Amino acid sequence: PLAQLLLAGYWGTIMLGRLLAGTLFHNIPGQKMVTRCAVGSLAGLVVFAFAENLYLAAAALWFSGLCFAPVFPSTLGSAGRVFTRYTGTILSLIIAASALGGIALSTLVGVIAGAGSMKAGLILVAGWASLMLLIQISISRRVKDRLKTSPAMAGEIEQI
């Protein structure tokens, strides 16, 4: 029952995070939201991996879920707005990449946790979140550069 409570809390915070992102935080531009959430999720995962007690681990896990929540929908929205001519293709690629990443990460965590320890598997997840943050920073810079060179998209720069 304890594992079920932790997992239900994680998915509950993802639901709460998506509700908050769509209501209270809807004025935060997508790129900024994703970058901030990537930092928050990374922090939550690192604390979760090294937590010494159950309460801290639960809070860190749930915080990471809250932070992960807006990443996917905000990324899809930003990609659709920036690549208007290729929206279907871009969204399909993002959805496929996220599914592949979820499958690969789950498998790797299971293998590493089985061969070593669960902490090692959690550190891998934190590493994956670090990679997400680095990719987001790189993409944000490229999107801003692209919008600066496109007169039709000049008003969009403030929204990133």
Side-chain angles (χ1 to χ4, degrees):
L2 183 59
Q4 293 169 345
L5 176 64
L6 290 172
L7 191 57
Y10 176 74
W11 286 107
T13 58
I14 287 179
M15 199 168 38
L16 177 63
R18 292 213 172 140
L19 289 171
L20 290 173
T23 56
L24 292 176
F25 305 131
H26 71 278
N27 289 328
I28 299 173
Q31 296 289 333
K32 286 182 182 174
M33 173 80 77
V34 172
T35 302
R36 291 173 183 170
C37 288
V39 169
S41 62
L42 175 59
L45 289 170
V46 169
V47 171
F48 180 65
F50 294 99
E52 295 292 327
N53 67 61
L54 178 63
Y55 298 108
L56 180 60
L61 177 66
W62 295 343
F63 179 74
S64 70
L66 191 69
C67 291
F68 273 129
V71 170
F72 191 70
S74 295
T75 299
L76 290 177
S78 294
R81 190 171 63 245
V82 172
F83 300 102
T84 55
R85 192 167 170 200
Y86 305 102
T87 301
T89 303
I90 294 297
L91 297 184
S92 296
L93 288 171
I94 291 170
I95 291 167
S98 67
L100 182 60
I103 292 167
L105 183 59
S106 302
T107 303
L108 285 171
V109 168
V111 168
I112 289 172
S117 69
M118 190 61 193
K119 183 183 258 186
L122 293 173
I123 291 170
L124 174 67
V125 175
W128 208 269
S130 299
L131 181 61
M132 179 181 72
L133 176 59
L134 292 173
I135 290 170
Q136 177 57 33
I137 290 168
S138 173
I139 287 173
S140 291
R141 288 183 182 151
R142 288 178 186 208
V143 167
K144 284 180 186 178
D145 291 343
R146 179 185 166 113
L147 292 178
K148 285 178 186 174
T149 61
S150 172
M153 301 290 282
E156 296 284 325
I157 293 175
E158 290 80 34
Q159 303 219 351
I160 294 183

